[in-house]
PDB file of all heavy atoms in Angstrom:
ATOM      1  N   VAL A 235      -0.027   5.723  16.100  1.00 98.00           N
ATOM      2  CA  VAL A 235       1.219   6.391  16.448  1.00 98.00           C
ATOM      3  C   VAL A 235       1.926   5.581  17.531  1.00 98.00           C
ATOM      4  O   VAL A 235       1.318   5.241  18.559  1.00 98.00           O
ATOM      5  CB  VAL A 235       0.971   7.832  16.908  1.00 98.00           C
ATOM      6  CG1 VAL A 235       2.289   8.517  17.289  1.00 98.00           C
ATOM      7  CG2 VAL A 235       0.265   8.631  15.813  1.00 98.00           C
ATOM      8  N   THR A 236       3.199   5.274  17.311  1.00 98.00           N
ATOM      9  CA  THR A 236       3.980   4.445  18.230  1.00 98.00           C
ATOM     10  C   THR A 236       5.247   5.185  18.656  1.00 98.00           C
ATOM     11  O   THR A 236       5.596   6.229  18.094  1.00 98.00           O
ATOM     12  CB  THR A 236       4.357   3.110  17.554  1.00 98.00           C
ATOM     13  OG1 THR A 236       5.169   3.380  16.393  1.00 98.00           O
ATOM     14  CG2 THR A 236       3.097   2.351  17.128  1.00 98.00           C
ATOM     15  N   ASP A 237       5.965   4.583  19.600  1.00 98.00           N
ATOM     16  CA  ASP A 237       7.188   5.222  20.094  1.00 98.00           C
ATOM     17  C   ASP A 237       8.429   4.785  19.346  1.00 98.00           C
ATOM     18  O   ASP A 237       9.527   5.296  19.598  1.00 98.00           O
ATOM     19  CB  ASP A 237       7.360   4.946  21.593  1.00 98.00           C
ATOM     20  CG  ASP A 237       7.433   3.465  21.912  1.00 98.00           C
ATOM     21  OD1 ASP A 237       7.244   2.620  20.998  1.00 98.00           O
ATOM     22  OD2 ASP A 237       7.665   3.121  23.095  1.00 98.00           O
ATOM     23  N   GLU A 238       8.276   3.840  18.414  1.00 97.00           N
ATOM     24  CA  GLU A 238       9.386   3.388  17.600  1.00 97.00           C
ATOM     25  C   GLU A 238       8.857   2.739  16.325  1.00 97.00           C
ATOM     26  O   GLU A 238       7.677   2.356  16.263  1.00 97.00           O
ATOM     27  CB  GLU A 238      10.258   2.376  18.350  1.00 97.00           C
ATOM     28  CG  GLU A 238       9.516   1.108  18.733  1.00 97.00           C
ATOM     29  CD  GLU A 238      10.380   0.129  19.483  1.00 97.00           C
ATOM     30  OE1 GLU A 238      11.570   0.426  19.696  1.00 97.00           O
ATOM     31  OE2 GLU A 238       9.869  -0.943  19.872  1.00 97.00           O
ATOM     32  N   VAL A 239       9.707   2.619  15.309  1.00 97.00           N
ATOM     33  CA  VAL A 239       9.306   1.974  14.067  1.00 97.00           C
ATOM     34  C   VAL A 239       9.142   0.479  14.307  1.00 97.00           C
ATOM     35  O   VAL A 239      10.034  -0.176  14.880  1.00 97.00           O
ATOM     36  CB  VAL A 239      10.353   2.223  12.955  1.00 97.00           C
ATOM     37  CG1 VAL A 239      10.055   1.358  11.742  1.00 97.00           C
ATOM     38  CG2 VAL A 239      10.365   3.686  12.565  1.00 97.00           C
ATOM     39  N   ARG A 240       8.009  -0.042  13.894  1.00 96.00           N
ATOM     40  CA  ARG A 240       7.753  -1.479  13.981  1.00 96.00           C
ATOM     41  C   ARG A 240       7.645  -2.004  12.559  1.00 96.00           C
ATOM     42  O   ARG A 240       6.691  -1.697  11.849  1.00 96.00           O
ATOM     43  CB  ARG A 240       6.473  -1.736  14.773  1.00 96.00           C
ATOM     44  CG  ARG A 240       6.568  -1.192  16.184  1.00 96.00           C
ATOM     45  CD  ARG A 240       5.302  -1.322  16.999  1.00 96.00           C
ATOM     46  NE  ARG A 240       5.434  -0.635  18.277  1.00 96.00           N
ATOM     47  CZ  ARG A 240       4.448  -0.545  19.176  1.00 96.00           C
ATOM     48  NH1 ARG A 240       3.279  -1.109  18.925  1.00 96.00           N
ATOM     49  NH2 ARG A 240       4.663   0.104  20.312  1.00 96.00           N
ATOM     50  N   PRO A 241       8.643  -2.770  12.113  1.00 96.00           N
ATOM     51  CA  PRO A 241       8.681  -3.179  10.709  1.00 96.00           C
ATOM     52  C   PRO A 241       7.382  -3.836  10.254  1.00 96.00           C
ATOM     53  O   PRO A 241       6.726  -4.544  11.016  1.00 96.00           O
ATOM     54  CB  PRO A 241       9.863  -4.167  10.677  1.00 96.00           C
ATOM     55  CG  PRO A 241      10.734  -3.727  11.811  1.00 96.00           C
ATOM     56  CD  PRO A 241       9.788  -3.268  12.881  1.00 96.00           C
ATOM     57  N   GLY A 242       7.041  -3.576   8.979  1.00 95.00           N
ATOM     58  CA  GLY A 242       5.821  -4.105   8.410  1.00 95.00           C
ATOM     59  C   GLY A 242       5.978  -5.513   7.871  1.00 95.00           C
ATOM     60  O   GLY A 242       7.020  -6.171   8.043  1.00 95.00           O
ATOM     61  N   TYR A 243       4.934  -5.979   7.202  1.00 94.00           N
ATOM     62  CA  TYR A 243       4.851  -7.362   6.743  1.00 94.00           C
ATOM     63  C   TYR A 243       6.080  -7.783   5.950  1.00 94.00           C
ATOM     64  O   TYR A 243       6.758  -8.764   6.269  1.00 94.00           O
ATOM     65  CB  TYR A 243       3.587  -7.535   5.897  1.00 94.00           C
ATOM     66  CG  TYR A 243       3.394  -8.945   5.372  1.00 94.00           C
ATOM     67  CD1 TYR A 243       2.648  -9.861   6.094  1.00 94.00           C
ATOM     68  CD2 TYR A 243       3.949  -9.352   4.169  1.00 94.00           C
ATOM     69  CE1 TYR A 243       2.467 -11.169   5.621  1.00 94.00           C
ATOM     70  CE2 TYR A 243       3.787 -10.639   3.704  1.00 94.00           C
ATOM     71  CZ  TYR A 243       3.038 -11.544   4.434  1.00 94.00           C
ATOM     72  OH  TYR A 243       2.886 -12.824   3.958  1.00 94.00           O
ATOM     73  N   TRP A 244       6.390  -7.047   4.875  1.00 92.00           N
ATOM     74  CA  TRP A 244       7.509  -7.449   4.030  1.00 92.00           C
ATOM     75  C   TRP A 244       8.858  -7.134   4.641  1.00 92.00           C
ATOM     76  O   TRP A 244       9.862  -7.796   4.374  1.00 92.00           O
ATOM     77  CB  TRP A 244       7.383  -6.817   2.636  1.00 92.00           C
ATOM     78  CG  TRP A 244       6.380  -7.559   1.825  1.00 92.00           C
ATOM     79  CD1 TRP A 244       5.128  -7.121   1.446  1.00 92.00           C
ATOM     80  CD2 TRP A 244       6.503  -8.873   1.302  1.00 92.00           C
ATOM     81  NE1 TRP A 244       4.477  -8.105   0.745  1.00 92.00           N
ATOM     82  CE2 TRP A 244       5.291  -9.186   0.629  1.00 92.00           C
ATOM     83  CE3 TRP A 244       7.505  -9.842   1.350  1.00 92.00           C
ATOM     84  CZ2 TRP A 244       5.077 -10.416  -0.002  1.00 92.00           C
ATOM     85  CZ3 TRP A 244       7.292 -11.060   0.719  1.00 92.00           C
ATOM     86  CH2 TRP A 244       6.093 -11.336   0.053  1.00 92.00           C
ATOM     87  N   GLU A 245       8.911  -6.109   5.500  1.00 94.00           N
ATOM     88  CA  GLU A 245      10.169  -5.796   6.151  1.00 94.00           C
ATOM     89  C   GLU A 245      10.588  -6.911   7.107  1.00 94.00           C
ATOM     90  O   GLU A 245      11.774  -7.185   7.281  1.00 94.00           O
ATOM     91  CB  GLU A 245      10.042  -4.463   6.891  1.00 94.00           C
ATOM     92  CG  GLU A 245      10.011  -3.279   5.944  1.00 94.00           C
ATOM     93  CD  GLU A 245       8.756  -2.431   6.099  1.00 94.00           C
ATOM     94  OE1 GLU A 245       8.240  -2.311   7.216  1.00 94.00           O
ATOM     95  OE2 GLU A 245       8.298  -1.901   5.077  1.00 94.00           O
ATOM     96  N   ASN A 246       9.611  -7.574   7.706  1.00 93.00           N
ATOM     97  CA  ASN A 246       9.926  -8.728   8.553  1.00 93.00           C
ATOM     98  C   ASN A 246      10.419  -9.919   7.735  1.00 93.00           C
ATOM     99  O   ASN A 246      10.934 -10.893   8.311  1.00 93.00           O
ATOM    100  CB  ASN A 246       8.691  -9.131   9.360  1.00 93.00           C
ATOM    101  CG  ASN A 246       8.462  -8.222  10.547  1.00 93.00           C
ATOM    102  OD1 ASN A 246       9.401  -7.867  11.257  1.00 93.00           O
ATOM    103  ND2 ASN A 246       7.222  -7.823  10.766  1.00 93.00           N
ATOM    104  N   LEU A 247      10.275  -9.837   6.416  1.00 91.00           N
ATOM    105  CA  LEU A 247      10.753 -10.893   5.538  1.00 91.00           C
ATOM    106  C   LEU A 247      11.962 -10.445   4.721  1.00 91.00           C
ATOM    107  O   LEU A 247      12.316 -11.086   3.733  1.00 91.00           O
ATOM    108  CB  LEU A 247       9.619 -11.342   4.602  1.00 91.00           C
ATOM    109  CG  LEU A 247       8.429 -12.016   5.309  1.00 91.00           C
ATOM    110  CD1 LEU A 247       7.322 -12.325   4.314  1.00 91.00           C
ATOM    111  CD2 LEU A 247       8.861 -13.296   6.013  1.00 91.00           C
ATOM    112  N   GLY A 248      12.590  -9.334   5.116  1.00 92.00           N
ATOM    113  CA  GLY A 248      13.860  -8.959   4.510  1.00 92.00           C
ATOM    114  C   GLY A 248      13.863  -7.702   3.675  1.00 92.00           C
ATOM    115  O   GLY A 248      14.934  -7.267   3.241  1.00 92.00           O
ATOM    116  N   TYR A 249      12.711  -7.070   3.420  1.00 94.00           N
ATOM    117  CA  TYR A 249      12.718  -5.836   2.647  1.00 94.00           C
ATOM    118  C   TYR A 249      13.209  -4.679   3.500  1.00 94.00           C
ATOM    119  O   TYR A 249      13.106  -4.704   4.735  1.00 94.00           O
ATOM    120  CB  TYR A 249      11.300  -5.528   2.134  1.00 94.00           C
ATOM    121  CG  TYR A 249      10.821  -6.411   1.023  1.00 94.00           C
ATOM    122  CD1 TYR A 249      11.344  -7.672   0.796  1.00 94.00           C
ATOM    123  CD2 TYR A 249       9.791  -5.970   0.187  1.00 94.00           C
ATOM    124  CE1 TYR A 249      10.885  -8.485  -0.216  1.00 94.00           C
ATOM    125  CE2 TYR A 249       9.314  -6.778  -0.841  1.00 94.00           C
ATOM    126  CZ  TYR A 249       9.861  -8.032  -1.036  1.00 94.00           C
ATOM    127  OH  TYR A 249       9.391  -8.827  -2.046  1.00 94.00           O
ATOM    128  N   ASP A 250      13.697  -3.626   2.863  1.00 97.00           N
ATOM    129  CA  ASP A 250      14.175  -2.459   3.590  1.00 97.00           C
ATOM    130  C   ASP A 250      13.011  -1.717   4.252  1.00 97.00           C
ATOM    131  O   ASP A 250      11.952  -1.522   3.638  1.00 97.00           O
ATOM    132  CB  ASP A 250      14.899  -1.494   2.657  1.00 97.00           C
ATOM    133  CG  ASP A 250      16.286  -2.006   2.255  1.00 97.00           C
ATOM    134  OD1 ASP A 250      16.698  -3.060   2.775  1.00 97.00           O
ATOM    135  OD2 ASP A 250      16.924  -1.348   1.424  1.00 97.00           O
ATOM    136  N   VAL A 251      13.233  -1.265   5.484  1.00 97.00           N
ATOM    137  CA  VAL A 251      12.211  -0.471   6.172  1.00 97.00           C
ATOM    138  C   VAL A 251      12.093   0.902   5.519  1.00 97.00           C
ATOM    139  O   VAL A 251      10.996   1.414   5.307  1.00 97.00           O
ATOM    140  CB  VAL A 251      12.549  -0.357   7.671  1.00 97.00           C
ATOM    141  CG1 VAL A 251      11.597   0.616   8.372  1.00 97.00           C
ATOM    142  CG2 VAL A 251      12.492  -1.729   8.341  1.00 97.00           C
ATOM    143  N   ASP A 252      13.230   1.517   5.208  1.00 96.00           N
ATOM    144  CA  ASP A 252      13.229   2.774   4.460  1.00 96.00           C
ATOM    145  C   ASP A 252      13.339   2.415   2.982  1.00 96.00           C
ATOM    146  O   ASP A 252      14.397   1.987   2.506  1.00 96.00           O
ATOM    147  CB  ASP A 252      14.401   3.649   4.871  1.00 96.00           C
ATOM    148  CG  ASP A 252      14.230   4.197   6.282  1.00 96.00           C
ATOM    149  OD1 ASP A 252      13.084   4.423   6.697  1.00 96.00           O
ATOM    150  OD2 ASP A 252      15.250   4.398   6.962  1.00 96.00           O
ATOM    151  N   ALA A 253      12.256   2.601   2.256  1.00 97.00           N
ATOM    152  CA  ALA A 253      12.159   2.050   0.896  1.00 97.00           C
ATOM    153  C   ALA A 253      12.196   3.124  -0.176  1.00 97.00           C
ATOM    154  O   ALA A 253      11.401   3.114  -1.130  1.00 97.00           O
ATOM    155  CB  ALA A 253      10.866   1.232   0.774  1.00 97.00           C
ATOM    156  N   TRP A 254      13.129   4.050  -0.071  1.00 97.00           N
ATOM    157  CA  TRP A 254      13.236   5.129  -1.050  1.00 97.00           C
ATOM    158  C   TRP A 254      13.532   4.548  -2.440  1.00 97.00           C
ATOM    159  O   TRP A 254      14.449   3.734  -2.601  1.00 97.00           O
ATOM    160  CB  TRP A 254      14.336   6.108  -0.674  1.00 97.00           C
ATOM    161  CG  TRP A 254      14.211   6.654   0.710  1.00 97.00           C
ATOM    162  CD1 TRP A 254      14.969   6.322   1.801  1.00 97.00           C
ATOM    163  CD2 TRP A 254      13.258   7.617   1.168  1.00 97.00           C
ATOM    164  NE1 TRP A 254      14.561   7.025   2.899  1.00 97.00           N
ATOM    165  CE2 TRP A 254      13.505   7.829   2.562  1.00 97.00           C
ATOM    166  CE3 TRP A 254      12.223   8.316   0.559  1.00 97.00           C
ATOM    167  CZ2 TRP A 254      12.757   8.712   3.329  1.00 97.00           C
ATOM    168  CZ3 TRP A 254      11.470   9.201   1.318  1.00 97.00           C
ATOM    169  CH2 TRP A 254      11.742   9.398   2.687  1.00 97.00           C
ATOM    170  N   VAL A 255      12.784   4.993  -3.424  1.00 97.00           N
ATOM    171  CA  VAL A 255      12.995   4.504  -4.791  1.00 97.00           C
ATOM    172  C   VAL A 255      14.403   4.868  -5.248  1.00 97.00           C
ATOM    173  O   VAL A 255      14.815   6.031  -5.178  1.00 97.00           O
ATOM    174  CB  VAL A 255      11.951   5.087  -5.758  1.00 97.00           C
ATOM    175  CG1 VAL A 255      12.280   4.690  -7.195  1.00 97.00           C
ATOM    176  CG2 VAL A 255      10.555   4.587  -5.391  1.00 97.00           C
ATOM    177  N   GLY A 256      15.142   3.856  -5.724  1.00 96.00           N
ATOM    178  CA  GLY A 256      16.490   4.070  -6.226  1.00 96.00           C
ATOM    179  C   GLY A 256      17.579   4.082  -5.175  1.00 96.00           C
ATOM    180  O   GLY A 256      18.756   4.112  -5.527  1.00 96.00           O
ATOM    181  N   ARG A 257      17.181   4.037  -3.907  1.00 95.00           N
ATOM    182  CA  ARG A 257      18.179   4.102  -2.841  1.00 95.00           C
ATOM    183  C   ARG A 257      18.003   2.996  -1.801  1.00 95.00           C
ATOM    184  O   ARG A 257      18.500   3.100  -0.685  1.00 95.00           O
ATOM    185  CB  ARG A 257      18.117   5.467  -2.144  1.00 95.00           C
ATOM    186  CG  ARG A 257      18.561   6.615  -3.036  1.00 95.00           C
ATOM    187  CD  ARG A 257      18.746   7.892  -2.215  1.00 95.00           C
ATOM    188  NE  ARG A 257      17.473   8.553  -1.956  1.00 95.00           N
ATOM    189  CZ  ARG A 257      17.079   8.971  -0.766  1.00 95.00           C
ATOM    190  NH1 ARG A 257      17.844   8.767   0.292  1.00 95.00           N
ATOM    191  NH2 ARG A 257      15.935   9.589  -0.603  1.00 95.00           N
ATOM    192  N   SER A 258      17.267   1.956  -2.144  1.00 96.00           N
ATOM    193  CA  SER A 258      17.051   0.871  -1.183  1.00 96.00           C
ATOM    194  C   SER A 258      16.789  -0.420  -1.914  1.00 96.00           C
ATOM    195  O   SER A 258      16.582  -0.439  -3.134  1.00 96.00           O
ATOM    196  CB  SER A 258      15.874   1.201  -0.257  1.00 96.00           C
ATOM    197  OG  SER A 258      14.674   1.280  -0.987  1.00 96.00           O
ATOM    198  N   ASN A 259      16.817  -1.516  -1.189  1.00 95.00           N
ATOM    199  CA  ASN A 259      16.529  -2.848  -1.709  1.00 95.00           C
ATOM    200  C   ASN A 259      17.454  -3.252  -2.855  1.00 95.00           C
ATOM    201  O   ASN A 259      17.090  -4.063  -3.701  1.00 95.00           O
ATOM    202  CB  ASN A 259      15.065  -2.945  -2.152  1.00 95.00           C
ATOM    203  CG  ASN A 259      14.114  -2.898  -0.965  1.00 95.00           C
ATOM    204  OD1 ASN A 259      13.930  -3.878  -0.259  1.00 95.00           O
ATOM    205  ND2 ASN A 259      13.511  -1.737  -0.745  1.00 95.00           N
TER     206      ASN A 259
END
Side-chain angles (χ1 to χ4, degrees):
V235 179
T236 61
D237 59 355
E238 62 181 359
V239 171
R240 300 176 187 177
Y243 181 92
W244 282 109
E245 287 122 33
N246 282 317
L247 295 176
Y249 287 23
D250 286 356
V251 173
D252 290 328
W254 306 106
V255 174
R257 292 191 280 131
S258 64
N259 292 282

